[in-house]
Amino acid sequence: MKKKVKIESTVFAVLLLVAGTIWYYYAHPELGSARAGSFLIAYKPMGVESPRIHHDRVQAARNTEYGSTIRDIFSRREPPPPPPPPPAVIVRVPKPGDTDYVPPVAPPRPPELPVKFFGFGTVLGGSSLRAFLSNEDSVYVVAEGDTLLGRYRIIKIGRVNLEFEELGTGRHGFASLEDQESLF
């Protein structure tokens, strides 16, 4: 029972102290208003050009990429100056008429097959394509990897064109599928 009375008396004393403090400030209004008045006199609004949100500046701040820097943020010393840019290199391009002018060389034309690619098909029971080529009286049936006329290797047989390689030079070329009506 004594504990209960002791707790109640402590709570009562604290409440009485709070009530006395509030009564003192209400009884002496000059104490609180002097502080508020000095604050209002010293108040100056911020010089903001427009109170609207500047979305472009916000987006620019969001897009900023942070990278490593050599400056120590805890030191007052200035960072070293950036290295000087490399000297500009001036390249002189010779023009026609100059003594050191070399005319550009045109790239070689792709090789052409001396035969006409007129069709393709598969062997019965097989899955690899065969190309049908003709040269006036002769008809050639070749597969991928075969040699034609001893000068050309067939690289790939497609449904629209035929890729081949000239064995002597290693150059690649294409032969397009031609209409049968124009062949005969």
Side-chain angles (χ1 to χ4, degrees):
M1 187 78 164
K2 286 187 176 188
K3 277 187 177 181
K4 189 174 181 184
V5 171
K6 190 173 184 178
I7 292 174
E8 287 176 356
S9 63
T10 306
V11 170
F12 180 70
V14 170
L15 287 175
L16 191 59
L17 182 63
V18 170
T21 306
I22 292 172
W23 173 80
Y24 180 74
Y25 277 106
Y26 275 116
H28 299 93
E30 68 275 358
L31 294 176
S33 65
R35 283 188 229 131
S38 66
F39 172 74
L40 291 176
I41 292 170
Y43 173 73
K44 292 181 183 174
M46 292 175 34
V48 177
E49 59 195 49
S50 174
R52 69 175 181 83
I53 296 175
H54 298 278
H55 293 287
D56 54 342
R57 292 182 189 171
V58 171
Q59 191 61 33
R62 285 182 181 164
N63 291 339
T64 302
E65 291 187 21
Y66 298 100
S68 64
T69 178
I70 57 171
R71 182 172 183 216
D72 182 10
I73 62 172
F74 300 107
S75 173
R76 291 188 182 198
R77 288 190 297 160
E78 291 291 322
V89 177
I90 299 172
V91 178
R92 189 179 81 72
V93 178
K95 296 177 183 166
D98 291 345
T99 57
D100 57 345
Y101 177 73
V102 177
V105 178
R109 293 181 50 193
E112 294 183 16
L113 276 178
V115 294
K116 297 186 185 210
F117 174 41
F118 70 91
F120 61 91
T122 57
V123 177
L124 193 61
S127 62
S128 64
L129 286 176
R130 306 278 185 200
F132 305 124
L133 306 163
S134 69
N135 183 11
E136 296 178 13
D137 302 352
S138 305
V139 174
Y140 302 98
V141 179
V142 293
E144 291 179 357
D146 288 351
T147 303
L148 174 69
L149 302 174
R151 292 182 49 203
Y152 305 99
R153 176 175 294 124
I154 307 301
I155 304 292
K156 181 160 178 65
I157 300 170
R159 301 197 182 282
V160 178
N161 58 15
L162 171 84
E163 182 181 357
F164 64 93
E165 175 188 14
E166 191 175 33
L167 295 175
T169 61
R171 297 183 305 163
H172 285 252
F174 293 92
S176 296
L177 183 65
E178 297 185 17
D179 293 334
Q180 290 183 355
E181 296 173 7
S182 65
L183 294 175
F184 300 107

